């Protein structure tokens, strides 16, 4: 479950990272209803600094009083008659629209909080201090400011033609603004003194603390020049590490904020659903695996409970680790587990097979413990104990120092040093082990995986049948074994295990595998070329070549010097050919095989197992072949 949680966290972080990267400079707006703000502008506290043009005056903000209103603080150029200078007044304007193609901003309402009161006594500013915008007024006015006494005789005239500026007025006088369209001759100026005039301002420039929605005014900007990009349906963006207008480039224009918000919602929903689907799948897989393991464990525990009266010792996983010294000495690796050398005590060595918990369904473990654990024979490996600790399982066998028969066969030096008499003893020992499995136990045990790799050798090279992972139990009265799928190792599997056209699966399937093992002993598992075959540049299957040589009476063991060794060689080969007859009914039982191997006389040649043959039912000691009927005693006549 830890891996599933980690995977989900990684997925969420990845999606979060993608969302963050996409939202960095995406278009924004105030309250979702204001103008779309993108390059060369940026929205303060919503977009990073790099999203806007690197110059003052390009940063919008959302009004604190009303978050749907977009504001821009500018240096408002007001021309006054004092020294005929342009005075840059810092004011906030309300943005109504932004035309990125014509590079024009529409705005309304300047709240200057009594502009004339902000005029300094000494003005040392020039036009270079102004904002990067040019103002275009919908209604532009010029005003004359007068300081007038508040006599009652003049009040009516003031009210008709002038606009009072309360913020500049005081006790006994009023400051009033008269539009330039009015002539000062229309009213008495005896009580008024002209202060100065102001031009290029909207009419609400003098209104303190109020806002009026007059005709829209405009700001134009010239740098950066992005009209070319906009005309192509692209967006203008500053190149990386560039700080001037020449460093702009055109890119695909992002979607509007409204669409972006909708897309984000859809994306978030899709991401959340995807994460939950992945989580659900992982949870289902996890619980299916857990339930399967629990069911398997329950099955094994029930088996072990029924098995508690038998002799093998049950070890804990801690015991297994201790006896193998933390799995220090590895002896070999198989399809279902790894074998390690261990110590039960100072003088008792064991081989510990740790089963792979990710392979199989527990059947191999039950087969091993259920078959080996209940039998004791000199030619069957002894199960000392087992471990079933949670999902960890292991089998503890007696330790056999000379490992497997396969290594003896492959080593010419080792097989030569043993000699053919010892090889015959090994073949007889294996046959006795199989005979015990087939007839000596309360239930018949079919091994189904007899091969040199599964024959272990002790310090005296006494063979022991091992690895019962594919074994099946059947009653002695039951001659046929039901199988749903082939089991065993290719090259050693009897034909009937593949196809029921050759007969029924039974203990005779083990006889076939044993026959192939005997042919391994006399020749090794490979294809051999006869002289005739070499001349025709073709190869003949070794067992078939062996049969042809024996049938013709030709030499088959050129490197064997002693005549007795040659007889042993031929005996093992002939018995092997008897065992690999295509039809189960043509094969001898293991009891007859032992008699053939231990007999002083040479067995007769069997029918050709590679030609067409017919068969009929028989018992173990008297059986019919394509060449006639034979009893066990007749097989041993000298050929």
């Amino acid at each position: 479950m830890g891996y599933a949680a980690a995977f989900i966290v990684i997925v969420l972080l990845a999606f979060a990272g993608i969302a963050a990267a996409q939202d960095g400079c995406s278009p924004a707006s105030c309250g979702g209803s204001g103008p779309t703000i993108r390059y060369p502008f940026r929205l303060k506290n919503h977009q990073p600094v790099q999203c806007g043009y690197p110059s003052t005056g390009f940063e919008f903000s959302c009004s604190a009083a009303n978050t749907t209103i977009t504001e821009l603080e500018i240096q408002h150029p007001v021309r006054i008659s004092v020294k005929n200078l342009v005075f840059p007044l810092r004011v906030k304007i309300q943005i109504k629209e932004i035309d990125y193609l014509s590079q024009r901003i529409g705005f309304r309402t300047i709240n200057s909080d009594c502009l004339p009161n902000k005029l300094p006594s000494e003005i040392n500013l020039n036009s270079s201090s102004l904002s990067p915008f040019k103002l275009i007024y919908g209604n532009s006015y010029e005003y004359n400011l007068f300081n007038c006494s508040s006599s009652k005789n003049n009040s009516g005239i003031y009210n008709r033609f002038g606009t009072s500026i309360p913020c500049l007025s005081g006790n006994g006088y009023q400051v009033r603004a008269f539009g330039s369209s009015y002539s000062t001759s229309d009213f008495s100026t005896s009580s008024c003194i002209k202060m100065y005039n102001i031009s290029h301002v909207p009419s609400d420039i003098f209104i303190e603390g109020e806002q009026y929605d007059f005709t829209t005014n405009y700001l134009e900007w010239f740098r950066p020049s992005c009209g070319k990009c906009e005309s192509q349906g692209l967006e203008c963006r500053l190149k990386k590490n560039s700080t001037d207008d020449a460093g702009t480039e055109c890119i695909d224009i992002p979607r509007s904020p409204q669409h972006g918000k909708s897309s984000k919602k859809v994306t978030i929903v899709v991401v959340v659903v995807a994460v939950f689907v992945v989580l659900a799948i992982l949870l289902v897989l996890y619980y299916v695996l857990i339930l399967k393991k629990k069911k398997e464990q329950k099955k094994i525990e029930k088996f072990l409970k029924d098995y508690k009266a038998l002799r093998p010792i049950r070890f804990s996983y801690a015991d297994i680790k201790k006896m193998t010294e933390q799995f220090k000495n590895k002896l070999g690796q198989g399809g279902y587990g790894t074998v390690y050398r261990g110590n039960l005590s100072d003088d008792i060595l064991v081989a510990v097979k740790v089963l792979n918990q990710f392979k199989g369904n527990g059947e191999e473990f039950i087969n091993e413990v259920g078959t080996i654990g209940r039998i004791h024979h000199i030619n069957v490996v002894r199960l000392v104990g087992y471990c079933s600790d949670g999902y960890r399982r292991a089998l503890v066998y007696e330790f056999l120092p000379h490992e497997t028969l396969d290594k003896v066969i492959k080593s010419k030096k080792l097989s030569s040093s043993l000699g053919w008499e010892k090889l015959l003893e090994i073949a007889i020992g294996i046959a006795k082990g199989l005979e015990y499995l087939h007839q000596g136990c309360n239930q018949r045990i079919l091994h189904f995986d007899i091969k040199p790799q599964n024959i272990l050798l002790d310090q005296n090279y006494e063979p022991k049948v091992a690895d019962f992972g594919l074994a099946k139990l059947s009653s002695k009265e039951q001659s046929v074994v039901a199988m749903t799928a082939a089991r065993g190792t290719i090259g050693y599997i009897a034909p009937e295990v593949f196809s029921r056209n050759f007969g029924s699966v039974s203990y005779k399937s083990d006889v076939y595998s044993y026959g192939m093992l005997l042919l391994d002993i006399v020749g090794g598992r490979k294809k051999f070329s006869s002289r005739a075959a070499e001349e025709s540049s073709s190869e003949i299957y070794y067992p078939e070549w062996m049969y042809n040589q024996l049938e013709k009476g030709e030499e088959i063991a050129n490197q064997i010097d002693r005549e007795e060794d040659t007889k042993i060689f031929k005996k093992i080969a002939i018995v092997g050919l008897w065992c690999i007859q295509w039809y189960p009914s043509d094969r001898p039982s293991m009891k007859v095989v032992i008699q053939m191997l231990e007999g002083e006389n040479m067995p007769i040649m069997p029918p050709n197992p590679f030609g067409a043959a017919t068969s009929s039912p028989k018992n173990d000691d008297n059986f019919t072949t394509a060449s006639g009927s034979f009893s066990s005693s007749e097989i041993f006549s000298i050929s």
Side-chain angles (χ1 to χ4, degrees):
M1 188 60 187
Y3 292 111
F7 174 76
I8 292 168
V9 169
I10 292 171
V11 170
L12 289 174
L13 289 176
F15 278 118
I18 293 170
Q22 291 176 338
D23 291 343
C25 286
S26 58
S29 65
C30 290
S33 59
T36 299
I37 300 171
R38 52 185 172 85
Y39 187 84
F41 307 105
R42 81 176 188 93
L43 187 58
K44 189 177 181 180
N45 300 327
H46 288 78
Q47 295 169 314
V49 175
Q50 67 269 18
C51 297
Y53 187 67
S55 177
T56 56
F58 286 85
E59 184 178 80
F60 291 99
S61 60
C62 299
S63 173
N66 187 343
T67 56
T68 63
I69 295 176
T70 307
E71 294 180 340
L72 175 64
E73 190 176 80
I74 65 170
Q75 298 280 12
H76 196 286
V78 179
R79 185 175 296 279
I80 61 177
S81 61
V82 181
K83 297 183 181 180
N84 195 29
L85 293 177
V86 176
F87 173 68
L89 177 65
R90 183 173 293 276
V91 294
K92 286 185 178 180
I93 60 175
Q94 178 184 349
I95 306 302
K96 292 296 184 181
E97 59 183 273
I98 304 175
D99 188 336
Y100 290 92
L101 179 60
S102 62
Q103 302 197 168
R104 177 176 289 191
I105 298 174
F107 70 93
R108 295 175 185 171
T109 306
I110 297 178
N111 183 1
S112 61
D113 292 332
C114 191
L115 178 146
N117 197 27
K118 297 182 179 181
L119 295 176
S121 58
E122 294 291 337
I123 302 175
N124 296 316
L125 302 174
N126 53 52
S127 59
S128 64
S129 302
L130 301 180
S131 68
F133 301 102
K134 176 184 178 183
L135 279 93
I136 304 173
Y137 290 109
N139 285 310
S140 179
Y141 298 94
E142 182 177 347
Y143 294 92
N144 297 309
L145 270 62
F146 288 85
N147 186 338
C148 304
S149 65
S150 56
S151 64
K152 296 180 180 179
N153 294 332
N154 296 324
S155 63
I157 297 174
Y158 299 158
N159 291 334
R160 278 190 297 143
F161 299 104
T163 300
S164 174
I165 305 177
C167 63
L168 296 178
S169 303
N171 292 329
Y173 70 92
Q174 289 185 355
V175 176
R176 304 189 72 84
F178 294 89
S180 60
S181 60
Y182 297 101
S183 174
T184 56
S185 62
D186 291 340
F187 55 92
S188 173
T189 60
S190 59
S191 59
C192 295
I193 301 173
K194 184 176 179 179
M195 297 170 61
Y196 49 82
N197 61 359
I198 301 177
S199 61
H200 298 95
V201 293
S203 58
D204 58 342
I205 195 71
F206 309 115
I207 309 302
E208 182 179 8
E210 298 182 11
Q211 292 181 341
Y212 294 92
D213 193 11
F214 292 96
T215 304
T216 300
N217 304 304
Y218 295 95
L219 295 173
E220 287 186 345
W221 77 91
F222 301 96
R223 295 186 64 185
S225 178
C226 295
K228 183 179 179 181
C229 296
E230 296 290 337
S231 64
Q232 298 175 3
L234 302 174
E235 180 187 297
C236 188
R237 181 61 56 87
L238 193 68
K239 292 181 181 177
K240 190 174 181 181
N241 300 325
S242 180
T243 58
D244 56 20
D245 192 32
T248 57
E249 60 182 345
C250 299
I251 62 171
D252 289 335
I253 189 167
R255 299 178 182 270
S256 65
Q258 292 81 2
H259 187 93
K261 288 190 175 184
S262 175
S263 299
K264 288 178 188 175
K265 290 180 181 179
V266 173
T267 301
I268 290 172
V269 171
V270 171
V271 169
V272 171
V273 171
V275 169
F276 274 108
V277 168
V278 172
L279 178 60
I281 292 173
L282 290 174
L283 287 175
V284 169
L285 291 176
Y286 174 75
Y287 283 112
V288 166
L289 182 61
I290 288 297
L291 291 175
K292 181 181 178 182
K293 288 293 183 183
K294 285 184 177 179
K295 184 177 180 181
E296 175 186 324
Q297 184 64 19
K298 193 173 181 181
K299 176 182 176 183
I300 291 174
E301 290 297 334
K302 181 179 183 301
F303 164 77
L304 295 177
K305 184 178 179 181
D306 298 337
Y307 188 74
K308 64 183 179 181
L310 301 177
R311 291 190 184 91
I313 304 168
R314 182 169 185 172
F315 297 101
S316 67
Y317 192 69
D319 296 331
I320 297 296
K321 291 169 67 177
K322 183 178 179 181
M323 72 175 65
T324 59
E325 298 182 74
Q326 302 293 327
F327 309 108
K328 179 180 178 181
N329 298 310
K330 181 177 177 181
L331 297 178
Q333 177 102 26
Y336 286 90
T338 307
V339 181
Y340 301 90
R341 187 174 67 184
N343 296 77
L344 278 183
S345 64
D346 293 338
D347 49 356
I348 299 179
L349 297 176
V350 290
V352 181
K353 181 179 182 181
V354 180
L355 301 183
N356 186 346
Q357 60 177 311
F358 298 106
K359 190 167 184 180
N361 57 3
E363 182 180 354
E364 189 204 38
F365 176 79
I366 292 175
N367 281 343
E368 290 272 1
V369 179
T371 54
I372 303 181
R374 69 179 68 192
I375 58 179
H376 298 281
H377 190 274
I378 191 174
N379 295 119
V380 178
V381 69
R382 186 169 73 89
L383 182 69
V384 177
Y386 60 90
C387 168
S388 181
D389 194 345
Y391 299 135
R392 297 184 177 99
R393 289 186 281 275
L395 299 165
V396 182
Y397 304 99
E398 61 178 316
F399 179 75
L400 302 173
H402 292 301
E403 301 186 32
T404 67
L405 176 62
D406 180 59
K407 293 187 177 181
V408 172
I409 293 173
K410 290 180 178 179
S411 173
K412 293 182 178 180
K413 183 177 179 180
L414 182 58
S415 59
S416 298
S417 64
L418 287 177
W420 281 102
E421 290 185 0
K422 188 60 183 179
L423 290 174
L424 178 61
E425 290 179 10
I426 291 173
I428 294 172
I430 298 170
K432 289 181 177 179
L434 284 174
E435 165 63 10
Y436 175 77
L437 295 176
H438 292 171
Q439 302 295 336
C441 303
N442 294 330
Q443 281 189 299
R444 178 173 286 161
I445 300 172
L446 279 64
H447 190 281
F448 281 117
D449 200 18
I450 296 298
K451 58 184 178 181
Q453 293 88 336
N454 288 339
I455 305 300
L456 302 179
L457 302 171
D458 66 9
Q459 64 274 14
N460 299 317
Y461 288 94
E462 186 74 32
K464 296 180 184 290
V465 180
D467 200 340
F468 286 73
L470 300 180
K472 287 183 71 73
L473 299 175
S474 69
S475 64
K476 293 181 180 179
E477 294 77 20
Q478 183 181 354
S479 58
V480 176
V481 178
M483 288 183 62
T484 57
R487 54 175 65 193
T489 302
I490 299 297
Y492 297 91
I493 304 176
E496 67 272 13
V497 177
F498 285 113
S499 172
R500 302 301 182 268
N501 292 332
F502 293 100
S504 300
V505 178
S506 66
Y507 67 93
K508 291 293 186 72
S509 302
D510 279 349
V511 175
Y512 181 93
S513 301
Y514 175 77
M516 295 304 294
L517 180 147
L518 292 183
L519 294 178
D520 280 351
I521 292 176
V522 296
R525 295 199 59 74
K526 58 183 178 179
K527 292 182 178 180
F528 277 71
S529 298
S530 66
R531 183 176 301 173
E534 288 174 351
E535 291 173 357
S536 61
S537 299
S538 61
E539 289 186 335
I540 297 177
Y541 181 48
Y542 173 70
E544 185 176 0
W545 176 84
M546 174 67 71
Y547 183 88
N548 292 337
Q549 293 298 100
L550 289 171
E551 190 175 42
K552 295 175 184 177
E554 295 183 5
E555 186 65 44
I556 57 175
N558 295 327
Q559 297 180 356
I560 299 177
D561 298 327
R562 296 175 62 240
E563 183 179 351
E564 289 299 319
D565 290 342
T566 302
K567 290 182 179 179
I568 294 174
F569 180 97
K570 290 181 63 177
K571 179 184 288 188
I572 294 175
I574 291 172
V575 173
L577 292 171
W578 271 106
C579 293
I580 65 168
Q581 296 293 308
W582 276 110
Y583 296 99
S585 56
D586 291 339
R587 301 172 203 150
S589 66
M590 293 310 302
K591 178 181 178 181
V592 174
V593 167
I594 295 170
Q595 293 173 354
M596 295 166 73
L597 291 173
E598 291 183 333
E600 294 182 1
N601 296 329
M602 184 69 66
I604 64 171
M605 280 293 292
N608 186 352
F610 309 103
T614 58
S615 62
S616 58
K618 57 163 182 15
N619 57 44
D620 287 340
D621 296 324
N622 295 280
F623 49 96
T624 303
T625 72
S627 301
S629 298
F630 299 91
S631 66
S632 58
S633 59
E634 291 175 320
I635 292 177
F636 307 121
S637 60
I638 299 176
S639 58

